[in-house]
Amino acid sequence: MAERKLIHGGHYEEIKALGQGTWGVVILAKQVQTGREVALKTIKSARAEEGINFTAIREIKLLREFKHENIIELVDVFTTADMAVCLVYEVAETDLEKILKNRSISISLADTKQHLLTLLRAISACHSRWILHRDLKPDNCLFLKDGTMKLADFGLARMYGTPKTRLSPQAITLWYKPPELLLGASEYSSAADVWSTGCIFAELLLRRPFLQGNQTDISQLDTIFQVFGTPNDTNWPDHGVLPLCTRGLTWDSSPPIPFDEIFTAAPSDALSLLRSMLVLDPNKRFTADQCLSHPYFLNEPRPTPKEKLVLSSD
Ligand code: AMP
């Protein structure tokens, strides 16, 4: 048998590649001292001459203190000889994107409620510590073998201050971007994460991404405004000060499409919550805590217990 590669001075032993991410390969490894399996994600500095991003490391160290049932555990962080940062995570079995794409897995209304509940709990925990995720999408919602949902890739976008152009290969992320960011708002608020979560909720109900713009911010805005109507002084009084509007970009006025015409199979309590999350004006959007207090979570069906969630078709 071929010898396994040792990593970080023999602390970890490589098992196999798990997948390719935007920042580099993710590998399954064994923590030699404990025998625990972990996922190692190596993040190279944007430019070699910039060296290690120490701000990122400080923030990552902070995240290590952040223990929550629905946030992926950062087990360790170390730097490699070639100035890359290696993040060591607990190992997930699958993610929500894979579940959504696997047509042989059915997602019931009770499953949807469980997914949204755990996602909102994770986001509420982040927001109560003034941490914004900024990149919520189904592939960042990981699941452990026991069905526990774990929010991942959390804070990375912020830590690395990724310019928009460098994120462009991530066209899919665009579909979860709130209108204030698309209009050029330079400051994010927690409402941005709530919009993305609303998009994920809608996707669970529709079983396809809800707002599928075509690669550009303008196309994404068009897609959003076709559904929610164009912004005006009533539905979003402050929109005019955002950069794209001050530069003179305008849209022909159009009305919103009622949600019950789009989500024909969804119960009314689900749509009531969805309407409170997907609001053009970020100031009028529910907070994660307000979402968690919505009657939707008390009504039948009860959320599927995590151990009863179907994660794969085999
Ligand atoms: P990412 O860089 O987060 O996009 O990750 C790239 C791929 O690596 C993902 O699509 C997953 O298949 C895999 N991956 C990332 N993190 C984990 C983890 N904690 N456990 C298992 N697989 C992971």
Side-chain angles (χ1 to χ4, degrees):
M1 205 173 76
E3 248 181 59
R4 281 178 176 170
K5 189 179 153 197
L6 289 174
I7 303 163
H8 191 38
H11 282 84
Y12 298 96
E13 195 181 287
E14 179 171 336
I15 299 175
K16 62 171 184 178
L18 281 172
Q20 179 69 41
T22 323
W23 300 97
V25 70
V26 179
I27 60 165
L28 179 69
K30 191 171 86 179
Q31 200 169 31
V32 173
Q33 208 180 3
T34 60
R36 179 185 183 181
E37 287 195 351
V38 289
L40 299 189
K41 188 183 213 172
T42 307
I43 299 173
K44 295 222 175 350
S45 245
R47 282 191 297 240
E49 68 270 21
E50 281 172 7
I52 295 169
N53 185 331
F54 283 101
T55 312
I57 294 172
R58 272 196 297 273
E59 290 204 38
I60 292 164
K61 295 247 182 220
L62 259 182
L63 287 180
R64 288 184 64 187
E65 311 297 317
F66 194 178
K67 296 249 185 291
H68 185 275
E69 205 209 339
N70 300 116
I71 291 175
I72 197 92
E73 186 192 343
L74 189 57
V75 179
D76 192 11
V77 184
F78 60 87
T79 51
T80 65
D82 59 347
M83 305 293 234
V85 178
C86 191
L87 307 180
V88 184
Y89 290 105
E90 62 186 319
V91 184
E93 189 72 3
T94 187
D95 62 60
L96 190 56
E97 196 199 13
K98 290 193 184 110
I99 294 174
L100 280 158
K101 282 193 172 153
N102 186 339
R103 290 284 147 188
S104 49
I105 301 178
S106 68
I107 302 177
S108 68
L109 289 170
D111 297 347
T112 293
K113 199 172 281 188
Q114 167 68 3
H115 293 323
L116 184 65
L117 181 64
T118 47
L119 181 53
L120 282 168
R121 282 183 181 151
I123 293 160
S124 162
C126 294
H127 291 178
S128 68
R129 289 163 179 79
W130 303 99
I131 294 164
L132 308 180
H133 188 285
R134 304 181 197 218
D135 197 17
L136 294 170
K137 51 186 177 179
D139 36 340
N140 283 340
C141 301
L142 306 185
F143 289 87
L144 304 189
K145 261 200 191 97
D146 71 355
T148 308
M149 200 280 286
K150 298 271 180 177
L151 183 54
D153 253 5
F154 136 96
L156 264 193
R158 180 189 189 191
M159 286 175 222
Y160 278 81
T162 321
K164 264 184 195 158
T165 44
R166 293 205 53 246
L167 267 187
S168 61
Q170 297 285 74
I172 294 171
T173 307
L174 192 68
W175 299 342
Y176 306 89
K177 240 188 208 181
E180 66 274 21
L181 295 197
L182 295 163
L183 286 173
S186 53
E187 281 175 21
Y188 293 67
S189 83
S190 52
D193 282 346
V194 174
W195 177 276
S196 309
T197 309
C199 293
I200 297 171
F201 184 19
E203 186 164 340
L204 283 160
L205 295 169
L206 292 172
R207 200 68 194 255
R208 62 171 167 75
F210 178 32
L211 300 164
Q212 302 184 48
N214 193 7
Q215 297 198 357
T216 65
D217 285 7
I218 298 294
S219 159
Q220 187 64 25
L221 280 168
D222 287 340
T223 308
I224 292 173
F225 296 156
Q226 272 160 26
V227 174
F228 295 89
T230 37
N232 54 48
D233 292 342
T234 311
N235 65 11
W236 189 357
D238 297 336
H239 76 281
V241 300
L242 294 173
L244 254 62
C245 298
T246 56
R247 269 181 240 146
L249 206 67
T250 54
W251 283 264
D252 291 336
S253 164
S254 69
I257 303 173
F259 266 13
D260 41 15
E261 286 178 18
I262 303 170
F263 302 91
T264 46
S268 60
D269 58 351
L271 291 192
S272 156
L273 174 55
L274 189 62
R275 263 187 222 104
S276 307
M277 300 175 83
L278 294 176
V279 181
L280 287 181
D281 185 346
N283 296 316
K284 295 183 193 146
R285 253 170 246 156
F286 264 22
T287 63
D289 284 340
Q290 282 175 313
C291 294
L292 284 167
S293 305
H294 192 281
Y296 168 71
F297 290 111
L298 298 173
N299 296 344
E300 293 294 328
R302 306 298 307 137
T304 305
K306 65 177 185 185
E307 59 281 359
K308 296 232 168 95
L309 289 171
V310 176
L311 303 179
S312 70
S313 44
D314 38 64

